[in-house]
Amino acid sequence: MTARVLTSRAAAIAGGALLALSPLTAQAAQAAPAPHTASTAQPARTAPAVAAKGAVLVDGATGRTLFGKEADTARPIASTAKIMAASVVLETQGVDLEKQVPVKQAYRDYVTQHGSSTADLQTGDKLTVRQLLYATLLPSGADAAYALADTFGSGATEAERTASFVSQLNAKAAELHFTHTAFDSFDGGGTDTSTPAELAKLARHAMRNDTFRTIVKTKQYKGEAPAANGRTRYYTWNNTNQLLGSYDGVIGIKTGTTTPAGDCLVFAATRGDKTLIGTVLNSKDRYADAAKLLDHGFGTTTAKTMQLRALPANSQRD
C-alpha cells in the first residue's frame, strides 16, 4: 500500500470520528463559552433627587411608570384641578366652543373674595367657550373657570350650577377609575386632592383632545371680545407654566399654587417619537424637579443648563 493511500484512509477515519461525536459531546461543545465581547447594554439610570413631596413620570404612550415618589399618596392639587374642569367642558356632548358667554360681576367678585389668580374678565364682555378655556388654563383664571362652571353646570342658580359642575368633575374622576381624586371646587381653590399618579393619568387623558393640547402648549394668547359698551375688548393671557420655552420639547400642561398644596406642576414633553408626562406636588423647585424627571426619561442633561422663560411683569403667577 502506498503512502498516498495510507494518508487517504487516515483522513477518512478521522472524518468519520468527527461525524460520530455523541450528542452529549456535541452539547458540551455548544455550551462552551463564546469569546468575550464588549457589552452593549445601557447602564441603569440613577433616579433623580427631587424636592417635591410627591412626583411621578410616565411614558405618554403606554402609561408605564418611569419614576415615582409617593406617587399614590393623595395631596392638595391647587389649580391643576383646572385640567379636569377643561376636560369636562371639552367632553360635553355637542359642546359649542364658539358659544358666547356673558361675564358676570359674580365671577370677578369670586376672585376678589378668594385672592385667586385671574384672567381679568370684564363684566358684560362676551367671551367664547374656547376663549374661556384659554383664560382658565393659561393665566389660571378663577373667573374664567367660574364662567365655565356656571355655563356647563345645571340648576336654577349660580350656586346650584357650580355645585353641579363640581359633581361632573367627580363623576369624570370615577369614570376614569380614580380612587384617590376628589373635587370640591371648580378651580382648585378648595380641598381638591389627587395623587401624582392619578394626575398623570388625567393628563394623558386630557392630552388626547386636540383643543386641549393646542391650548396648554400656547405661551401667550391674544384675542378680542365684544364689550358691554358695544366696543371691542382686547385680552392678552400669558401661560403661567414657565417650563414652556425653557426645556426643549415641553408641550404643557398646568401649574397650581396654594398654601396647602405648595407649588405644583403637571407637565409633558415630546422629543422624537417619545412623549413623557409627569407631576410634581408640593415642590420647592417645581421646574427644576420637572426638568430632572424629563432628563431621566429622555436620558439627557438639559436640566443643568436650563434657563427659565421670564414672564411679563403684569402676568399672573400660579
Side-chain angles (χ1 to χ4, degrees), residues 1-308:
M1 188 179 292
T2 65
R4 179 178 296 178
V5 172
L6 287 171
T7 303
S8 298
R9 288 181 63 185
I13 292 170
L18 287 172
L19 290 172
L21 279 172
S22 70
L24 190 61
T25 307
Q27 290 174 7
Q30 291 175 359
H36 175 75
T37 56
S39 172
T40 57
Q42 295 296 319
R45 295 177 194 148
T46 302
V50 295
K53 291 185 178 179
V56 77
L57 181 74
V58 302
D59 184 297
T62 67
R64 182 171 66 91
T65 300
L66 305 176
F67 173 91
K69 177 182 178 181
E70 296 193 26
D72 297 315
T73 299
R75 299 182 184 279
I77 58 174
S79 288
T80 62
K82 293 184 175 95
I83 297 172
M84 180 64 91
S87 292
V88 166
V89 169
L90 288 167
E91 293 168 31
T92 298
Q93 186 173 6
V95 61
D96 179 6
L97 295 179
E98 306 313 317
K99 175 184 177 180
Q100 290 189 327
V101 177
V103 176
K104 298 178 182 179
Q105 182 63 36
Y107 308 159
R108 293 180 58 84
D109 293 343
Y110 178 87
V111 168
T112 301
Q113 291 164 7
H114 294 83
S116 307
S117 49
T118 178
D120 197 24
L121 305 183
Q122 298 298 304
T123 303
D125 288 2
K126 294 180 180 179
L127 285 83
T128 65
V129 171
R130 187 189 304 275
Q131 288 176 316
L132 290 174
L133 287 167
Y134 273 96
T136 297
L137 293 169
L138 268 62
S140 199
D143 45 357
Y146 193 159
L148 290 173
D150 192 25
T151 301
F152 287 87
S154 58
T157 66
E158 289 170 10
E160 290 176 354
R161 289 190 291 273
T162 54
S164 165
F165 187 74
V166 173
S167 295
Q168 293 180 52
L169 305 188
N170 286 309
K172 179 62 69 174
E175 179 185 320
L176 295 172
H177 307 291
F178 296 165
T179 57
H180 300 292
T181 298
F183 299 94
D184 71 350
S185 77
F186 50 78
D187 65 335
T191 58
D192 314 85
T193 57
S194 187
T195 68
E198 290 186 357
L199 270 181
K201 290 177 183 177
L202 172 59
R204 286 185 68 224
H205 175 82
M207 291 292 275
R208 293 180 185 135
N209 183 281
D210 291 342
T211 300
F212 183 88
R213 285 200 313 274
T214 296
I215 292 173
V216 297
K217 72 180 181 182
T218 302
K219 297 186 189 74
Q220 185 183 78
Y221 171 88
K222 289 187 176 184
E224 57 186 54
N229 61 8
R231 297 182 180 180
T232 299
R233 182 92 58 193
Y234 297 93
Y235 285 98
T236 298
W237 298 311
N238 293 293
N239 199 320
T240 59
N241 179 10
Q242 290 178 267
L243 204 62
L244 275 171
S246 304
Y247 187 100
D248 183 36
V250 168
I251 54 174
I253 297 174
K254 185 73 188 74
T255 59
T257 305
T258 61
T259 300
D263 287 356
C264 304
L265 181 67
V266 179
F267 56 93
T270 297
R271 288 187 178 181
D273 59 357
K274 179 185 285 188
T275 295
L276 302 175
I277 292 176
T279 303
V280 291
L281 296 181
N282 202 333
S283 172
K284 293 181 180 178
D285 199 344
R286 59 185 167 186
Y287 297 118
D289 280 351
K292 288 178 185 178
L293 291 177
L294 290 172
D295 273 356
H296 179 66
F298 288 127
T300 55
T301 57
T302 306
K304 294 179 180 179
T305 56
M306 182 179 72
Q307 297 290 322
L308 278 183

